[in-house]
Amino acid sequence: TLVTDTELSTAIAGVGGGENTPNFRIELRGNQAISSGVETTIEFGNMVFDTASGWDGSTYKYTIPETGKWFISNVVRVSGGGNNTMSGGDINLYKDTDMLAHFGLTPNTSGAVGIYAGSSAGVYDLTQGDEIYVKATVTATAPRIDARADGGFTHLSGFKLA
C-alpha cells in the first residue's frame, strides 16, 4: 500500500528531532527525455519532505546539512521511450564529483531491452555541504527517465543515522 504525501509528512513531523533526522525524499513525477549516450542529471521535481531544507530544485541536488553517517537510497527506471528499446543504461549516485554507487544494464544477448529499473542504497560518511545527486545515461532511439504520477518509479531519499 502506498502512503500518501500527507500521511508521510504527518508521520515525519510527529517524530521530530530524534534519530534519523534530518531526512528527505524527492521524486520524478513526469518522464524526462534525455539525449542518447549522454550522462544527464535526473531532474527530480517534487520534494515530498525535507526537514532541513537541503533540496535545491534548480540544480537537482541535496546539500547535506549536518556531518555524519547518512543512509542514502535511490530508485530509477529508464527506458527507450514508448516501444523503443535500449542497448545500455547506467545510473550513478554522486557526492559532489565522486561516484558513490552505480548500477547499470548491458544486455549480453542479441536483443535489446525496453525498460530497466534498479536501485542502490548505502551508508555513507558525509560532510556538511556535500551535494548528493543522481545521473543517468541511456543508449536508445528515444531515451528517457521514467516517472509515475505518485513518484513510484524514480526517487531519491536519505536520512542521517548518527
Side-chain angles (χ1 to χ4, degrees):
T1 303
L2 291 175
V3 176
T4 67
D5 292 353
T6 302
E7 291 169 331
L8 192 53
S9 295
T10 301
I12 298 272
V15 172
E19 295 294 322
N20 302 333
T21 57
N23 50 56
F24 69 96
R25 179 181 170 101
I26 50 180
E27 302 170 335
L28 184 69
R29 291 201 173 174
N31 294 337
Q32 179 183 343
I34 62 175
S35 297
S36 183
V38 176
E39 188 178 46
T40 304
T41 300
I42 297 178
E43 298 175 355
F44 296 103
N46 184 64
M47 187 221 358
V48 179
F49 56 88
D50 178 2
T51 63
S53 301
W55 176 243
D56 185 336
S58 66
T59 63
Y60 309 107
K61 296 178 180 180
Y62 182 80
T63 301
I64 297 297
E66 297 178 14
T67 298
K69 293 195 181 304
W70 282 73
F71 178 83
I72 305 289
S73 69
N74 69 98
V75 175
V76 178
R77 179 175 140 160
V78 295
S79 70
N83 294 322
N84 296 305
T85 57
M86 57 185 179
S87 58
D90 294 294
I91 291 78
N92 299 313
L93 172 67
Y94 285 94
K95 174 193 84 171
D96 300 322
T97 58
D98 298 327
M99 186 186 309
L100 295 178
H102 164 83
F103 54 97
L105 163 72
T106 305
N108 63 357
T109 64
S110 59
V113 175
I115 295 171
Y116 173 70
S119 65
S120 71
V123 175
Y124 304 99
D125 286 315
L126 300 174
T127 302
Q128 182 178 6
D130 287 345
E131 293 181 318
I132 303 299
Y133 57 101
V134 183
K135 287 188 167 189
T137 306
V138 179
T139 304
T141 304
R144 73 178 187 207
I145 302 163
D146 291 337
R148 235 173 44 182
D150 65 3
F153 283 164
T154 301
H155 50 86
L156 171 65
S157 60
F159 54 88
K160 184 179 176 203
L161 293 166

